[in-house]
Amino acid sequence: MQNAEYVKHFGNKAELALPPARQFAILTCMDARLDPAKYAGLAVGDAHVIRNAGGRASDDAIRSLIISHKLLGTKEWFVIHHTDCGMELFTNETIQDLLAKSLTTAIVNENGWRNVKEEGGSGEARFINFLTIKNLEASVAEDVERIRKHPLVAPTIPIYGYIYDVKSGKLIEVPAATEVGKVPN
Ligand code: ZN
């Protein structure tokens, strides 16, 4: 971690307002290759960016979105999953079984995921839905729909669905997701 250089060039960011200036929020994946500020053209202070594994509409992601609108005034939301997402590479059962036997980082090859040793695991993973992804377009649509139907999400907020292409940097809309996320008549 390198913070000193950043502090040196912090500039006038102390003057930024707390609510996001461009009044929107993005829910996207934690993947290290994604730079939402850059791919969406954001300056600091512009928008909320909520990130988790897969960019999934988990209870906690929805908690943040509700706060983003109710207290901080965002008016539109974007759910952005991406190609080559790690969440497509395993199932709930896979990670639950791996964790049951060991907490050490697993390895993957053509035969799938494998523990390097088998000791010190926990069955606690059985109680976590890891929200893995089978089909990208479907996962975007499913998450937009879940957010749209949530009783604490204002019907005035349009929710758009996109897939970010890690090979080109392009954002590709998922029409079925945006359709289900539109403001109801
Ligand atoms: Zn991902």
Side-chain angles (χ1 to χ4, degrees):
M1 302 270 278
Q2 299 172 339
N3 176 242
E5 268 311 289
Y6 183 73
V7 170
K8 210 184 286 176
H9 305 287
F10 192 65
N12 60 0
K13 289 194 275 293
E15 288 149 36
L16 286 169
L18 195 162
R22 288 171 61 187
Q23 300 190 309
F24 66 85
I26 292 172
L27 170 59
T28 197
C29 186
M30 69 182 186
D31 191 301
R33 296 167 296 177
L34 271 56
D35 188 339
K38 290 207 178 107
Y39 76 52
L42 306 176
V44 63
D46 270 354
H48 284 147
V49 178
I50 299 148
R51 301 184 72 168
N52 63 31
R56 302 305 314 264
S58 61
D59 290 349
D60 194 65
I62 290 174
R63 175 187 71 89
S64 295
L65 287 168
I66 292 165
I67 293 167
S68 174
H69 168 74
K70 181 68 185 174
L71 302 182
L72 294 163
T74 59
K75 292 181 161 58
E76 48 186 356
W77 297 343
F78 297 81
V79 174
I80 305 174
H81 296 178
H82 67 98
T83 59
D84 198 35
C85 186
M87 298 298 280
E88 299 171 283
L89 303 180
F90 63 97
T91 64
N92 248 337
E93 292 69 32
T94 307
I95 190 167
Q96 285 165 345
D97 289 347
L98 287 167
L99 284 163
K101 293 177 186 128
S102 167
L103 305 186
T104 304
T105 300
I107 55 170
V108 66
N109 60 25
E110 63 279 4
N111 301 317
W113 292 94
R114 186 162 66 77
N115 277 320
V116 289
K117 55 176 173 181
E118 308 223 316
E119 59 185 21
S122 166
E124 194 70 16
R126 297 264 170 259
F127 305 108
I128 296 182
N129 181 350
F130 289 90
L131 302 172
T132 58
I133 294 174
K134 272 206 195 86
N135 175 289
L136 270 180
E137 295 195 355
S139 67
V140 175
E142 186 183 310
D143 284 359
V144 168
E145 184 174 16
R146 178 162 194 232
I147 297 165
R148 174 82 288 153
K149 288 184 170 165
H150 196 285
L152 293 175
V153 168
T156 52
I157 304 167
I159 308 159
Y160 307 96
Y162 281 83
I163 293 170
Y164 171 86
D165 180 356
V166 295
K167 296 284 183 247
S168 68
K170 195 171 185 213
L171 286 171
I172 300 148
E173 189 162 20
V174 180
T178 297
E179 175 64 24
V180 78
K182 70 182 186 195
V183 171
N185 299 317

